Amino acid sequence: MAALHPIRLVLGDDEFLAERAAAEYVAAVRDDLPSADPPPVVNRVPASDLTAGSLAELTSPTLFGGAVIAIIESAQDAGKDTAAAVLDYASRPAPGIYMAVCHNGGNKGKALAEGLKKLDVELVRASKIKRQPDRVAFVRGELRAAGASPRSASAEIADTIIQAVGSDLRELASACAQLVSDTEGNITVDSVARYYSGRAEVTGFSVADAAVAGNAGEALGALRWAMQVGVDPVPIADALAMAVRNLSRVATERGGAAQLAGQLGMAPWQIDKARRQSRNWTADGLAEAMRVCAKLNGDVKGGVDDRAWALEHAILKITRLSKAGEETGGRV
């Protein structure tokens, strides 16, 4: 087993991943200590409250000689002198003292993060997960870590969980652990849907599926229920854009789903689903729908005061652009 590094830099802007990386470091230190030793003392402090003097106190041995773990939170807020003191300490860490420095990865306080990298400390990334394939990979990893079988941790099941729970990593991690604990045998798409019945229909993905299918009534009903229970408009707009984008990507491609999966960055079942949905669309309709989604993106991120109205307006436009919507006149 590799020796435990005395300094860990947790770099990234996802609060949950950063908290987990720090907690895993504390657990690793505890596991690495001889059983006869006293438990380590864990000191947590925001960098804004830290000074060069208090850093020395934070990294001092305990009276009884046990290990000390110092967790510096929001390290990007450290003052210039404090950052210099952290770098100086990290260049010659004391035995029995362990430090995790949590930095959001932005330009503020960048010199501290870059300085720690140059010292070759242990680096753990904790950046927000923005791409759906990465989110699916995260959920699959959580399912496996919770003890799910390979069949129960498939990409399709992971995507179904995301549709039911949303994109918040903390909620997804909790959902995976709970789902594995409460499910006997293999987890299936149907069992996930049953487990989360009452939640799945109010996600952005279900709104998007109804919209690209040309079903204005179903899409608006799901949207209004989602807004009523507090779903934020931004992920709903993102789901609409993703659905339209997926239709555009598969509409002109030839070849089997398995063959195109790597090329398009989509799971084979997602390609099959998008192909079925794309039969209701023309190239011109998809192009216009993409423009509608681009405008909606700006609207829900501060471009308009009434974001719910912007979503409803975009959904009506998208449903009317599909062939199915044309046939029904986009009736609600």
Side-chain angles (χ1 to χ4, degrees), residues 65-313:
V68 173
I69 308 172
I71 310 293
I72 300 177
E73 301 171 336
S74 303
Q76 67 277 0
D77 296 332
K80 186 176 180 180
D81 291 343
T82 302
V86 171
L87 290 173
D88 181 61
Y89 172 81
S91 67
R92 43 187 178 83
I97 310 296
Y98 301 86
M99 179 185 289
V101 181
C102 302
H103 191 290
N104 68 4
N107 288 326
K108 184 180 180 182
K110 186 176 181 180
L112 175 55
E114 293 301 315
L116 288 171
K117 286 183 189 178
K118 290 177 182 176
L119 291 173
D120 199 28
V121 304
E122 180 189 24
L123 175 61
V124 177
R125 299 283 181 182
S127 300
K128 288 187 184 297
I129 296 178
K130 298 178 180 178
R131 298 176 61 249
Q132 180 68 359
D134 296 335
R135 202 172 286 120
V136 168
F138 171 81
V139 171
R140 295 185 72 186
E142 292 297 304
L143 289 169
R144 289 191 291 265
S149 66
R151 181 181 298 179
S152 296
S154 70
E156 184 173 7
I157 287 171
D159 191 81
T160 304
I161 293 172
I162 293 168
Q163 290 187 43
V165 176
S167 59
D168 183 85
L169 298 189
R170 193 185 304 274
E171 290 191 12
L172 286 170
S174 175
C176 290
Q178 194 67 45
L179 190 61
V180 172
S181 174
D182 292 349
T183 303
E184 293 185 8
N186 286 322
I187 299 170
T188 65
V189 170
D190 288 342
S191 68
V192 173
R194 286 194 302 272
Y195 193 86
Y196 290 105
S197 61
R199 281 194 70 172
E201 73 269 23
V202 299
T203 66
F205 294 100
S206 54
V207 174
D209 280 344
V212 298
N215 192 329
E218 182 179 337
L220 290 176
L223 171 66
R224 288 162 187 165
W225 179 245
M227 300 296 288
Q228 183 178 340
V229 298
V231 179
D232 189 82
V234 173
I236 298 176
D238 289 344
L240 279 167
M242 180 184 296
V244 173
R245 185 165 58 249
N246 284 348
L247 298 189
S248 301
R249 294 168 75 189
V250 305
T252 58
E253 295 289 345
R254 298 293 178 266
Q259 174 189 348
L260 293 172
Q263 176 184 333
L264 298 179
M266 298 167 64
W269 68 269
Q270 288 177 310
I271 294 173
D272 289 335
K273 177 182 176 181
R275 276 180 165 164
R276 289 193 299 271
Q277 293 172 330
S278 69
R279 293 171 190 151
N280 287 330
W281 287 83
T282 64
D284 288 344
L286 284 172
E288 181 58 28
M290 291 182 73
R291 285 190 283 270
V292 171
C293 289
K295 183 179 185 303
L296 176 63
N297 182 270
D299 288 344
V300 298
K301 292 179 180 177
V304 296
D305 293 330
D306 191 341
R307 300 193 295 168
W309 178 88
L311 279 165
E312 290 189 3
H313 192 61

Side-chain angles (χ1 to χ4, degrees), residues 26-47:
V26 172
V29 172
R30 287 174 173 154
D31 291 343
D32 196 57
L33 296 175
S35 58
D37 284 8
V41 174
V42 181
N43 298 320
R44 295 177 178 272
V45 60

